[in-house]
Amino acid sequence: MNKLSKKLMATLAIFSVVFFQLHAQENEPQIISNLHTLITKSSSYQNYKVIDKAAISGFQNTLKNYVAKQEQMMSNLHQEIAENKKSSIVLQNQLQELKQTNELLNEEKASISFLGIQISKENYSITMWVLFLGALAIAGILFYKFKTANTVTHHSRTVLKDLEEEFESYRRVCIEREQSLRRQLFEEAKKNREFKNVS
């Protein structure tokens, strides 16, 4: 900001000098020619020049007009410089506001709002990768547990089926043995009755 105001002031000063010189060069030849005419038209008396009062009065009026114009120009230039200073201050304030806005925009651009908290993009990226890899690891662990549980369940079903088949075969054998024993018992009872009837 300081460099900007110095450059602006230097530009204004150069502009003022050039403007003043241009106006001076426009009016200067008229004054110089009037003075030259005054000196050449005046009469000489010994080593002295005698100047007509009317001519010197006209030159004096021309000089006063020139000085008044120069003073007016200087006043206008001072007023213009003051206005430029005011506009320079306004521009500097606007530049400061723009810089602050730009810094805020850069901060917002470099960060992301996550759950109402401003987080830098790097931290957000790291957090998202950690969450993604954590979710992937948990999914892997759950899949492994599911596969293990599925294997155990399958094995248990196979064992249960084998046990059921074994139990069913054992039950058949038991039923057959029981039937065989009943037959034997029935036959023995029959034989006993026959012995009783015979005796």
Side-chain angles (χ1 to χ4, degrees):
M1 274 193 317
N2 202 5
K3 289 182 180 179
L4 180 66
S5 62
K6 285 182 181 177
K7 286 182 180 179
L8 187 62
M9 293 304 288
T11 306
L12 288 175
I14 290 170
F15 175 73
S16 301
V17 169
V18 170
F19 185 71
F20 179 73
Q21 284 180 349
L22 285 174
H23 281 287
Q25 286 175 359
E26 287 175 3
N27 294 326
E28 220 171 70
Q30 184 182 1
I31 291 175
I32 291 173
S33 66
N34 285 352
L35 182 61
H36 185 64
T37 304
L38 184 68
I39 291 171
T40 53
K41 286 190 177 182
S42 62
S43 58
S44 294
Y45 173 74
Q46 293 177 353
N47 274 343
Y48 301 103
K49 282 279 190 182
V50 179
I51 301 172
D52 186 26
K53 283 185 178 181
I56 200 147
S57 175
F59 178 74
Q60 188 177 13
N61 287 335
T62 304
L63 187 60
K64 278 182 184 178
N65 290 339
Y66 175 74
V67 169
K69 282 181 185 178
Q70 292 301 320
E71 286 177 352
Q72 182 64 38
M73 277 177 30
M74 289 295 287
S75 173
N76 290 342
L77 284 174
H78 282 299
Q79 188 176 359
E80 191 175 334
I81 288 170
E83 289 174 3
N84 285 338
K85 279 183 181 178
K86 286 179 185 176
S87 65
S88 171
I89 290 169
V90 169
L91 287 173
Q92 285 176 353
N93 291 338
Q94 287 177 349
L95 181 65
Q96 186 65 28
E97 288 175 8
L98 287 173
K99 280 184 177 178
Q100 290 173 350
T101 306
N102 189 30
E103 286 175 5
L104 286 173
L105 287 174
N106 284 337
E107 287 176 8
E108 287 180 9
K109 185 180 174 185
S111 63
I112 294 174
S113 179
F114 181 69
L115 301 175
I117 302 169
Q118 288 290 339
I119 301 173
S120 69
K121 283 188 176 179
E122 294 84 19
N123 290 341
Y124 178 77
S125 178
I126 290 169
T127 304
M128 286 298 109
W129 276 108
V130 166
L131 290 175
F132 174 72
L133 292 175
L136 201 61
I138 290 170
I141 291 168
L142 290 176
F143 181 73
Y144 173 75
K145 286 195 172 193
F146 170 75
K147 285 294 274 182
T148 306
N150 194 22
T151 305
V152 169
T153 304
H154 183 68
H155 179 69
S156 297
R157 282 183 181 169
T158 307
V159 168
L160 181 64
K161 189 176 178 184
D162 290 344
L163 281 173
E164 283 176 350
E165 288 175 0
E166 190 177 326
F167 177 74
E168 189 63 36
S169 67
Y170 179 73
R171 202 182 95 196
R172 271 193 233 117
V173 168
C174 284
I175 288 173
E176 287 174 2
R177 190 181 303 151
E178 187 180 338
Q179 286 174 353
S180 170
L181 286 174
R182 278 186 187 169
R183 278 192 214 120
Q184 286 177 0
L185 184 63
F186 182 71
E187 286 176 6
E188 289 294 325
K190 196 175 175 186
K191 281 180 185 178
N192 279 338
R193 269 189 249 144
E194 284 178 7
F195 281 133
K196 280 182 185 179
N197 287 337
V198 170
S199 51

